[in-house]
Amino acid sequence: MFTSPKYYFNRELSWLKFNQRVLLESMDTTNPLMERLRFLAIAGANLDEFFMIRVAGLRHQAMNGIVKYDAAHMDAKAQLKAIDESVQRLVSMQYTYLHTVLEELESYGFYFTTPDALDVETKTWLRHYFEEQVYPVVTPLAVDSGHPFPFLANHTMNAIVRIFQVQSDGTKEYKIAILPIPSVLDRIIEVPTKHNKEHCFVYLEDVITYYATQFFQGYGIEEYMIFRITRDADLEIDEAEATDLLTEVEASLRRRRRGDAVRIEVAGMGAKDLLGIVLRSVELEEKDVYRIDGHLDCRMYFDFSNYPGYDDLRYKPFEPKPPSELIGCEEDSILDIIRKRDIFVHHPFESFNVVEQFVAQAAIDPNVLAIKQTLYRVSGDSPIISALIKAADNGKQVTVLMEVKARFDEENNIIMARRLEKAGCHVIYGLKGLKTHSKITMVVRREEDGIRRYVHLATGNYNGKTARIYTDCGIFTCNDEYGADASRFFNLISGYSDPPIWNKFIVAPLNLRERIMALIEEEIEAAKCGEEGYIIAKMNSLLDKRVIAKLYEASSHGVKIDLIVRGICTLRPGIPGVSDHITVRSIVGRFLEHHRLFYFRNRGNDKIFLSSADWMPRNLNERVELMIPIEDKRHKARIKCILDLYLADTLKAHVMRADGSYKRPSDEEGPLSAQEELMEAANTQEIKEHMTVIERFKPMFKMKE
């Protein structure tokens, strides 16, 4: 009944709308100027990954004649055509915004120019810089019968140059060469100025092409073109045939570096003949070309946005605060506090250090017998890795499931896994056919009254760096039912075991989808009985067709559904009789919205959950995920308040229309940013035990009963 393609948006086009929302932050003048530049860099990095994974996959389908329709009834060819049209508009918007931001930077003394526009004295300095810093690094590559077109790695920038030499009869002999733009050198070069308050910059590729004749003594330069290639970077792992998953992942990583080209970006219009040479060499067509009105690869502005001495052009520094529930308990061990009560932590507003301390204290506690943990993405200098190694050194049983198939973190995770193994930890390199995406740590401790299990469950990765910029939350508990489930969970993923009967855990791919459907059905049944059915669901992406159809069914029976979906959302709101009781909003702000939180009214007996899983087929079918109920009344009230706060956001929210476009919500009741309010609450914490965010937010907006 709710499966018609007209009820669904295409996944890829929905994601591109998300990236457009990221771009719009670069035009939001409430954001500091350098942060606006950073959003342009984020949008560029996002688009790179989109081509490396999503577009590459669709190209494979189209090239192999695979006809597979999505929920919106679009096959690969139709999607690629629509993506191209959307990306061309998006890139045009990106560079229009970039030029605006760079122009605004001029009022603060930041000027971008070209080598030929510099005065004589500065050109002399630049010539010396080129000879000392650039020339020794660049290696020109001839292209002729004896030198085939070189392999150009993913995301490397290059200049293709047509050079000539005048023959004795006055004619010109032409040759082709490639000048790589080295990624090991700074893309943005600051040159001296005569004014202390001015900063002048040139781009590395402009310097290389300006002095290009130095690489070709005896030749002149006819023309050149700057271009950048994006390649397929998805891993192809044959898990069915793999006898050693780690070895198979490492082999796939080597193949990734030589993936097929999927996109070429060209600075300006590009010389037609030179472009043709590149296209033939990388087996792309004119339709795969994106002509850029500016310098390629906005990712270079990540570093530039940190230019020292201009803190007023960046967000005010925010230091995560100690969890409010631990105030006054600084001298107690984390385990002792958890034994008294469950603890809820909300990052990045509250510090991730408490999670690192949890593992670190367990590592040196003589009564701790074992530590078990899943790791999906972890930083290279992770205190958690160090603590696990120390725990093994101290003779504790340490078991770690290190997911070596975590996209773009595979190499780092393999390195970390080998460090752990070398220290004596038992390391599981993921599960065949599944990614383990759940976030769980269990500490087993011998105490006077027997063995007690301490458990941390969360929505985000055990990564201290991303925990400062992603919104996530987690709970600590030593509740026996959660502890028993944690033991069963680790036994399930580390050995051979039939799926157990769970006390509290809801686990994908075993029963998570079924439980979600059942929770929605409970709201439908309430609505059928004349009671209020209400769902709030906050996640990163929503595109599982079966779950969406169930939400449509709920809406058709009058269940009110508020969705907070940061990125992809293929559900179409506002369809009369189908989804007119559903709202969809996306929050794009200073921090990346990452936690998954779910509220079901349940006839007045609120059910609230946190989860590692989005409502996507891959999360529900192909990953090991966890969803857990929140049962502490304080924590339920706090999470409900956080959700209500996001629903009240008028500054960083975008509300989806029925046609898939987004608009800013009305701010009739005054401007409100959920993230800003959460930062303010953290900054002004009262020294009061058990204080919760809800106490501070109640006066700010009408709480939903």
Side-chain angles (χ1 to χ4, degrees), residues 398-595:
V398 179
T399 302
V400 178
L401 188 146
M402 179 70 77
E403 183 49 76
V404 295
K405 293 173 288 184
R407 184 174 292 149
F408 300 124
D409 277 285
E410 300 95 344
E411 291 183 75
N412 178 66
N413 285 5
I414 288 171
I415 293 169
M416 294 299 104
R418 285 186 166 145
R419 278 185 60 194
L420 291 168
E421 226 170 21
K422 187 176 180 181
C425 303
H426 175 60
V427 181
I428 307 164
Y429 292 99
L431 301 175
K432 184 177 289 189
L434 298 170
K435 283 186 181 180
T436 302
H437 191 247
S438 48
K439 328 294 181 184
I440 178 172
T441 304
M442 180 175 71
V443 171
V444 182
R445 191 171 189 261
R446 181 190 291 117
E447 299 181 355
E448 290 182 1
D449 54 350
I451 297 295
R452 180 173 275 110
R453 289 167 289 208
Y454 296 81
V455 183
H456 175 255
L457 297 144
T459 66
N461 298 306
Y462 289 105
N463 186 318
K465 291 182 178 178
T466 58
R468 298 179 69 89
I469 55 175
Y470 288 14
T471 68
D472 275 304
C473 60
I475 65 162
F476 295 93
T477 184
C478 62
N479 178 293
D480 286 341
E481 291 185 300
Y482 287 79
D485 277 358
S487 289
R488 295 182 184 112
F489 178 82
F490 281 106
N491 290 342
L492 184 66
I493 63 175
S494 65
Y496 298 104
S497 174
D498 288 335
I501 296 174
W502 307 99
N503 295 314
K504 301 295 182 182
F505 284 13
I506 306 162
V507 184
L510 300 177
N511 65 339
L512 178 53
R513 178 195 297 281
E514 290 72 17
R515 188 62 187 279
I516 291 168
M517 303 289 267
L519 287 164
I520 299 172
E521 180 63 31
E522 288 175 2
E523 299 305 307
I524 294 173
E525 292 303 314
K528 286 180 178 178
C529 295
E531 300 182 49
E532 181 186 4
Y534 186 36
I535 299 169
I536 308 174
K538 183 180 187 299
M539 66 196 88
N540 299 326
S541 300
L542 171 61
L543 60 109
D544 187 86
K545 189 173 181 180
R546 288 171 59 189
V547 172
I548 292 173
K550 194 68 177 176
L551 291 172
Y552 285 154
E553 181 186 349
S555 174
S556 71
H557 286 287
V559 177
K560 178 176 170 54
I561 302 168
D562 286 326
L563 301 174
I564 308 165
V565 185
R566 184 194 79 227
I568 302 166
C569 180
T570 58
L571 175 148
R572 185 189 293 269
I575 305 171
V578 176
S579 59
D580 41 3
H581 291 97
I582 301 177
T583 68
V584 180
R585 71 191 59 226
S586 169
I587 308 287
V588 179
R590 174 173 180 169
F591 303 120
L592 184 139
E593 290 296 329
H594 192 255
H595 37 24

Side-chain angles (χ1 to χ4, degrees), residues 51 162-163 194 197 214 241 251 257 263 276 357 366 456 571-572 588 601 617 698:
F51 271 88
R162 189 192 304 279
I163 60 178
K194 297 177 181 178
K197 293 185 178 181
Q214 300 302 305
E241 298 297 324
R257 299 186 184 104
R263 173 183 64 163
Q357 290 168 13
H456 175 255
L571 175 148
R572 185 189 293 269
V588 179
R601 184 168 177 80
K698 269 184 177 178

Side-chain angles (χ1 to χ4, degrees), residues 228-267:
R228 177 174 181 259
I229 291 173
T230 304
R231 294 185 178 276
D232 178 356
D234 205 4
L235 290 187
E236 296 179 4
I237 303 172
D238 187 355
E239 295 189 56
E241 298 297 324
T243 56
D244 185 325
L245 182 59
L246 183 62
T247 301
E248 180 64 23
V249 171
E250 288 178 313
S252 187
L253 284 171
R254 290 191 291 272
R255 293 194 296 270
R256 169 191 275 174
R257 299 186 184 104
R258 301 188 67 86
D260 294 340
V262 295
R263 173 183 64 163
I264 178 168
E265 297 167 279
V266 174

Side-chain angles (χ1 to χ4, degrees), residues 167-362:
Q167 304 300 299
S168 57
D169 61 359
T171 60
K172 293 180 180 179
E173 181 184 34
Y174 291 98
K175 295 182 182 297
I176 298 295
I178 298 293
L179 280 176
I181 312 299
S183 59
V184 294
L185 299 178
D186 292 337
R187 273 289 303 282
I188 300 174
I189 302 164
E190 185 167 9
V191 299
T193 64
K194 297 177 181 178
H195 306 285
N196 291 335
K197 293 185 178 181
E198 289 186 0
H199 306 283
C200 187
F201 307 90
V202 294
Y203 294 92
L204 176 61
E205 60 268 34
D206 290 345
V207 174
I208 290 174
T209 54
Y210 187 71
Y211 294 112
T213 53
Q214 300 302 305
F215 298 104
F216 308 105
Q217 296 294 326
Y219 287 84
I221 306 295
E222 177 81 7
E223 58 183 347
Y224 67 87
M225 181 188 76
I226 306 291
F227 67 98
R228 177 174 181 259
I229 291 173
T230 304
R231 294 185 178 276
D232 178 356
D234 205 4
L235 290 187
E236 296 179 4
I237 303 172
D238 187 355
E239 295 189 56
E241 298 297 324
T243 56
D244 185 325
L245 182 59
L246 183 62
T247 301
E248 180 64 23
V249 171
E250 288 178 313
S252 187
L253 284 171
R254 290 191 291 272
R255 293 194 296 270
R256 169 191 275 174
R257 299 186 184 104
R258 301 188 67 86
D260 294 340
V262 295
R263 173 183 64 163
I264 178 168
E265 297 167 279
V266 174
M269 293 305 295
K272 185 176 180 180
D273 291 345
L274 296 181
L275 178 59
I277 293 170
V278 175
L279 290 176
R280 287 191 294 275
S281 300
V282 299
E283 299 181 327
L284 289 178
E285 301 175 22
E286 178 69 29
K287 63 180 176 62
D288 303 311
V289 177
Y290 292 83
R291 292 175 171 81
I292 306 301
D293 181 21
H295 291 80
L296 307 181
D297 193 2
C298 285
R299 295 180 306 167
M300 63 180 156
Y301 298 113
F302 276 123
D303 289 337
F304 184 80
S305 62
N306 293 321
Y307 191 93
Y310 286 82
D311 291 344
D312 57 322
L313 299 184
R314 288 180 282 271
Y315 290 129
K316 291 180 181 179
F318 174 75
E319 193 65 29
K321 300 303 182 289
S324 58
E325 295 182 32
L326 299 183
I327 291 175
C329 308
E330 289 82 1
E331 301 303 317
D332 299 333
S333 80
I334 300 297
L335 298 181
D336 288 342
I337 299 169
I338 298 169
R339 190 162 59 249
K340 297 175 184 175
R341 61 182 183 272
D342 291 358
I343 303 297
F344 177 87
V345 185
H346 192 195
H347 313 299
F349 314 104
E350 296 176 324
S351 175
F352 186 74
N353 289 346
V354 66
V355 180
E356 296 170 340
Q357 290 168 13
F358 174 65
V359 182
Q361 289 180 15

